[in-house]
Amino acid sequence: MLHFRPGSQAWQLITLLSIVGEFPFRSLRLLGNERVLKALVTKLSLPQTIRNPQTETEMTCRLLTVTGKSNSKTVRLYKAALPILDWLHPEAYRYYMEAFWNHRFPGDSAHRERNHRVSEALMLCMRAGIETRPYLLPHLQNGGRFSVIPDGSSFYLARDIKKIGQEEMNKTMFTRMVGAIFSHGSCYAVYNTRAAAMKWSGMGEFKALHNLIEVGRLNAGTDRIDSAVLFGESGEIALKTLLESDKSRRLEFRFDSIYHHIYFIPMDGFGVRQLSLLSVPDWKEKLLDLLFEPEVRSFDKGLFEYDACVDGIYILSHLDSDIARLIRFKEGIRNQTGRFEILCFPHQTHFLQEYMGGLVSIKTIGLDAVETELCPEAPSGYPFLPGNTGNHKERRNLFGG
């Protein structure tokens, strides 16, 4: 007998499928231990009794079905198991049936690929502590300026954003965007490029951004949106994306012309932790304040993109994984004389060495230390590591600023 407890891996997996419909079998590692998760999916694909400890109700059936081959292998809910959605939330079943055509999925690879991109991005947001369940989030509207979106961090799917617009929005929102993260007054368009270099669709992305700005203005009071989160399998994908962008003949369509800031998040445990940092209120300013004394910071007033100048060394912090800023930094120092340095996490080192060549020196800072100082009151292990606060001077010594 399987006990369906909130927070368990089975509960997380069913919650995920209630929102996205299907999930790529090869990406189960994003939910946790890959071996354990594959064994769980196999178990849930066999008939068994599932018990809800909160209501003491039971049902006997298969929960999951796995179809397809190789990279197209996909995990879905078994039709007879759909009543379990009522155990999650009273609105979960209704949302699922409306979103997925009464449990009917198009068989073409394009729809499946799109669903997989969406589900991977949503899973990473779930693990980072960002609210992703549409049936728990307030509905978006376009009737006026209201404070609809919660102050915390929430992820709205692109398909739900499209539902609030008029016909023009529905036409222009068919881009690579999979959703949007709203967090403490900020908004980030979300993309998932998986294992391929990101290729932007020119004016389609500009139109999608314009529509998202309108959604943010009417629902969150955000009059400006200039940032995106880009998920990719590894730093190698970030490098390929940057090199591909360098070849663009239309600079106005280059991704850093569409979004001034693009935060590349690898699809692994480090990525989940980096994504969690974006959920801290005013996270970027807090991070720079921890790294540098005020008198050495540029405050975006330098002749090129950098964060601080210490002992004649111009320093850029890449702890935010902003690849758009990285492009501007590289372009700014290419014809300059001087000493330049980039601060990064250890797992970013290889990517930066490949992209920057010998233009800069690289200094690393542990992700544990950043989590501890940026959010010391977070619960142990999720989404941040525990730590104790120190005084301001002690924090600066920790980071070597």
Side-chain angles (χ1 to χ4, degrees):
M1 178 180 292
L2 174 70
H3 292 271
F4 193 71
R5 294 187 175 90
S8 66
Q9 288 185 319
W11 182 90
Q12 292 179 54
L13 189 55
I14 300 303
T15 299
L16 173 67
L17 293 175
S18 75
I19 306 167
V20 299
E22 58 183 333
F23 190 79
F25 187 82
R26 72 185 184 99
S27 298
L28 286 171
R29 58 182 175 78
L30 300 181
L31 184 58
N33 183 286
E34 185 174 18
R35 181 183 60 82
V36 172
L37 264 297
K38 286 183 176 180
L40 177 63
V41 168
T42 300
K43 179 181 178 180
L44 298 182
S45 300
L46 300 174
Q48 61 188 290
T49 299
I50 305 98
R51 180 179 177 82
N52 186 344
Q54 296 178 309
T55 62
E56 298 185 353
T57 54
E58 296 180 358
M59 60 186 301
T60 301
C61 67
R62 296 165 52 185
L63 282 182
L64 304 178
T65 182
V66 180
T67 61
K69 297 179 180 180
S70 188
N71 288 339
S72 297
K73 201 171 183 180
T74 192
V75 182
R76 297 172 181 164
L77 287 170
Y78 191 64
K79 186 173 183 179
L82 293 181
I84 200 172
L85 297 177
D86 289 326
W87 295 6
L88 295 174
H89 188 274
E91 290 295 308
Y93 179 83
R94 179 198 59 78
Y95 177 86
Y96 177 91
M97 297 299 278
E98 290 181 359
F100 303 108
W101 306 281
N102 292 321
H103 193 64
R104 290 191 293 269
F105 293 86
D108 61 285
S109 59
H111 275 92
R112 184 170 55 249
E113 169 78 8
R114 171 73 179 180
N115 287 344
H116 285 178
R117 289 178 187 273
V118 173
S119 61
E120 288 169 344
L122 187 136
M123 167 52 67
L124 291 165
C125 289
M126 283 180 63
R127 291 197 62 195
I130 299 171
E131 181 56 72
T132 61
R133 292 166 289 182
Y135 38 84
L136 290 182
L137 291 171
H139 293 291
L140 301 175
Q141 53 81 42
N142 63 350
R145 297 195 67 163
F146 302 100
S147 297
V148 172
I149 295 174
D151 292 334
S153 298
S154 54
F155 176 67
Y156 281 84
L157 293 169
R159 68 163 174 262
D160 292 328
I161 295 175
K162 285 189 291 185
K163 290 177 182 177
I164 69 169
Q166 302 301 318
E167 183 179 359
E168 183 63 23
M169 176 177 284
N170 286 327
K171 288 181 180 178
T172 60
M173 284 293 285
F174 284 105
T175 68
R176 301 287 291 277
M177 187 188 299
V178 299
I181 295 173
F182 292 89
S183 181
H184 303 284
S186 299
C187 178
Y188 310 88
V190 178
Y191 295 82
N192 180 11
T193 192
R194 307 188 84 193
M198 184 64 183
K199 296 181 180 179
W200 308 85
S201 59
M203 287 306 299
E205 301 303 337
F206 278 109
K207 292 178 181 179
L209 175 58
H210 173 77
N211 287 324
L212 185 59
I213 291 173
E214 184 66 7
V215 171
R217 186 181 70 85
L218 295 177
N219 293 273
T222 55
D223 292 317
R224 181 185 179 189
I225 298 175
D226 63 358
S227 302
V229 169
L230 175 61
F231 291 113
E233 286 197 350
S234 65
E236 181 182 353
I237 302 305
L239 179 62
K240 289 181 179 179
T241 297
L242 289 174
L243 296 178
E244 188 71 26
S245 178
D246 288 344
K247 302 175 186 176
S248 176
R249 297 181 181 179
R250 300 285 301 274
L251 295 182
E252 67 272 22
F253 287 164
R254 205 171 71 175
F255 67 78
D256 55 323
S257 296
I258 303 171
Y259 297 102
H260 196 64
H261 302 283
I262 299 181
Y263 306 105
F264 182 84
I265 304 295
M267 295 165 61
D268 55 24
F270 287 118
V272 170
R273 294 165 69 183
Q274 284 180 244
L275 189 60
S276 297
L277 297 180
L278 270 65
S279 299
V280 177
D282 202 22
W283 64 274
K284 189 178 296 186
E285 178 59 29
K286 290 178 179 177
L287 184 55
L288 292 174
D289 183 54
L290 286 167
L291 292 171
F292 307 111
E293 297 286 354
E295 57 267 24
V296 303
R297 288 182 55 188
S298 68
F299 292 101
D300 296 325
K301 297 179 181 179
L303 296 177
F304 58 92
E305 192 102 17
Y306 70 94
D307 291 310
C309 184
V310 181
D311 298 328
I313 304 174
Y314 292 92
I315 305 172
L316 177 80
S317 168
H318 191 62
L319 302 182
D320 58 6
S321 299
D322 188 343
I323 57 176
R325 288 192 78 215
L326 192 62
I327 290 176
R328 297 192 290 272
F329 179 67
K330 184 176 181 179
E331 292 176 344
I333 69 174
R334 196 186 301 272
N335 298 316
Q336 302 243 8
T337 58
R339 299 165 61 193
F340 309 99
E341 182 178 279
I342 293 181
L343 296 177
C344 68
F345 295 121
H347 66 274
Q348 299 170 323
T349 302
H350 179 71
F351 153 66
L352 290 170
Q353 289 172 337
E354 291 290 318
Y355 183 65
M356 298 301 297
L359 294 175
V360 301
S361 59
I362 295 176
K363 182 178 180 180
T364 62
I365 293 174
L367 182 53
D368 290 8
V370 173
E371 290 172 320
T372 297
E373 294 297 329
L374 200 59
C375 194
E377 298 178 357
S380 175
Y382 189 104
F384 299 99
L385 297 178
N388 298 317
T389 57
N391 62 46
H392 207 56
K393 192 66 177 178
E394 289 174 336
R395 291 201 295 271
R396 297 191 191 283
N397 288 340
L398 173 65
F399 291 110

